[in-house]
Every structure is written in structure tokens, then in C-alpha cells.
Amino acid sequence: MTNLLSRRTLLATAATGALAFALVGCNDTKTEAAKPADAAKAPEPAKPADTAAAADPAKPADAAKPADTAAAPAAKVDLPVSEGDVDMAKVLQPGPLKDIFIGNADAKVTIVEYASMTCPHCASFHENTLPAITEKYLNTGKARLVLREFPFDPRAAAAFMLARCAGDDKYYAMVSALFQQQDNWAAAEDAKAALLQLSRLAGFSQESFEKCLSDQDLLNKVNAVREQAAKDFGVESTPTFLINGKKYAGAMTVDQMSALIDSLL
């Protein structure tokens, strides 16, 4: 698989509230003067208030139940299922092309990834999973990642060649850019023109672009990496990861790869 630069966008939300008001109206009452006949009569004594009809005392409000402060346990992440064992010593022997890795060469966990530049699942891994894994494990020296070529078609091979020609220090940046722009060149009617446009952003000229893609020795080595992976390590699809002696096929989420790496530390 290949890596390349990349990424992302933020969203914001807003909420509104409404207020309601109640109005109460009052009516004036008019009283007449007492007639003389009425004044001769002694007023009737006021009746004592009917205590039985007194309003019940207000019941105290129910005490608010304390919020459940216990944090919900984190969902358990199942470890990816291994497809078998591989000899990591043999995997890490020098091959047709020099390994370029991210992380510490002496890291406890070594991840060898085989990818195709035209593989959508590989692009998804590099865009959605690898950035978090890089920050959490590769940049902290806990793990290292080696990307190796496993092109399924001439366009993927050409993209890998351009990443190699960009130089060791720009290799992963070029891989990242190619994965991010995969839809723009992998299925383009004129893939060469699309790749040239992208390559110019990485510093290629028309001449250096043509020279890279006409390098038959480099193309042979890219294909040799793929052939060795299939023959010696049983790689059949992309992405495939060889991690500390185990083989895993298929892209992983951040949680899945994190759980796997954590289990090896």
C-alpha cells in the first residue's frame, strides 16, 4: 500500500430556545350604599371557616435522584483474526526495493503493509486509520510501519514508481497525496495526465515525470516486491498486514489496530 498526505473538515451546530408569557386581566366591581332598612338589622355573625375544606398542605417535591455518575465501560474491541503465521525474520530481509518506514527502527511492534495504489480499501486505511496510529504508536516509538508495493494494475505500479522517484523523505507524503486523490487519477480516462498534474505539486517537472515512468529497472523491482510477497508470504489481497509474525488481510479501524498493537506491547 501506499501512504500520502492528507486531511479533514469540521462541522458546527446551533440551537435556539423559545419563551412564553401569560397575561392576567382584572375587572372593577361597583358597590351600592346600604339602605336604612338594612342597617336596622343586626348583621349575622360570620360563620367559622370550614376547616375540613382547608387545602391540603403542599407535598414536598420528590428529591431529585442523583445522576448515575458511573461511566459506562468502553466497548470491547475484538482483535482482528490472523490468517496464519509468517517468518518475520525472512519478511524483514532486504528485498528488491529498500524499505522506507515510519517510526522507530527498534520498535517492539513492526507492521509491514502490502498495498495497491488503486485499492479503495488501502486508501481508506491511509486516510482514516493511519493518521491516528501514527500519532499514537509510530511517532512515540512503540511501533513502526513499512509500506510495500503490491500493485494490481499498471496505474498502481506507475503511482508507486512516482512515490519512489519523489525520494525517501517525500515517499510517504507522495503516497498520502496519491491515496487522497485516488478518485481523480485511478479511474481517469487519461491517467497519465492526471498523475502528471498531481506530481507537479510534489516538485516533478514534465521531464522528471517522464524519466521516472520510463525507468524499466524500477518497474521490474516494484513488480518483484509483489511477486515475492505472493510467493513467500501468501499475500493475495490488499491491504494485507504482516505484524510481529502474524498475517492479517483487510483494512482495520483505529480501534482494531490499536487493540492489536496494545496486545503486543
Side-chain angles (χ1 to χ4, degrees):
M1 306 180 180
T2 59
N3 333 44
L4 286 188
L5 304 168
S6 52
R7 3 267 189 218
R8 303 171 170 58
T9 57
L10 301 174
L11 299 175
T13 59
T16 59
L19 298 175
F21 296 89
L23 299 177
V24 178
C26 298
N27 292 324
D28 292 336
T29 57
K30 184 177 181 181
T31 58
E32 296 181 357
K35 296 179 180 179
D38 295 336
K41 296 180 181 180
E44 295 181 3
K47 295 181 180 180
D50 185 358
T51 56
D56 292 337
K59 296 180 180 180
D62 293 338
K65 295 181 180 180
D68 186 3
T69 56
K76 185 177 182 297
V77 178
D78 293 330
L79 292 176
V81 178
S82 167
E83 293 195 343
D85 298 336
V86 291
D87 184 347
M88 276 313 271
K90 185 175 182 180
V91 169
L92 297 176
Q93 288 178 355
L97 287 171
K98 180 181 70 173
D99 282 336
I100 304 173
F101 62 86
I102 306 173
N104 189 336
D106 299 321
K108 191 172 182 179
V109 178
T110 295
I111 305 164
V112 176
E113 175 197 5
Y114 285 95
S116 177
M117 289 304 301
T118 52
C119 162
H121 296 294
C122 301
S124 177
F125 172 78
H126 278 261
E127 291 187 57
N128 302 317
T129 299
L130 187 56
I133 296 302
T134 297
E135 180 179 357
K136 189 175 181 181
Y137 298 103
L138 306 185
N139 289 347
T140 58
K142 296 178 181 179
R144 66 167 172 159
L145 178 136
V146 177
L147 175 65
R148 289 182 179 170
E149 297 84 348
F150 200 89
F152 278 125
D153 52 70
R155 294 186 179 196
F160 272 125
M161 292 172 70
L162 290 168
R164 287 283 179 174
C165 291
D168 292 1
D169 58 335
K170 296 181 180 179
Y171 176 73
Y172 281 102
M174 188 67 178
V175 166
S176 177
L178 286 162
F179 273 136
Q180 286 182 336
Q181 298 296 320
Q182 188 184 75
D183 290 343
N184 295 331
W185 61 268
E189 182 176 349
D190 188 344
K192 186 175 181 180
L195 284 172
L196 173 59
Q197 183 179 7
L198 192 155
S199 297
R200 287 188 185 279
L201 299 176
F204 283 82
S205 63
Q206 176 81 43
E207 182 182 359
S208 61
F209 175 82
E210 296 287 355
K211 181 179 179 181
C212 179
L213 294 186
S214 61
D215 187 340
Q216 187 63 45
D217 182 62
L218 177 57
L219 176 59
N220 292 342
K221 289 178 179 178
V222 166
N223 288 329
V225 172
R226 179 182 185 275
E227 292 165 4
Q228 182 188 49
K231 178 182 176 182
D232 295 346
F233 313 127
V235 177
E236 299 176 341
S237 61
T238 60
T240 291
F241 301 93
L242 308 182
I243 305 176
N244 282 28
K246 298 288 185 181
K247 182 173 68 174
Y248 303 88
M252 299 186 198
T253 65
V254 173
D255 288 343
Q256 289 173 326
M257 182 159 277
S258 294
L260 180 55
I261 294 173
D262 287 340
S263 73
L264 299 171
L265 293 176

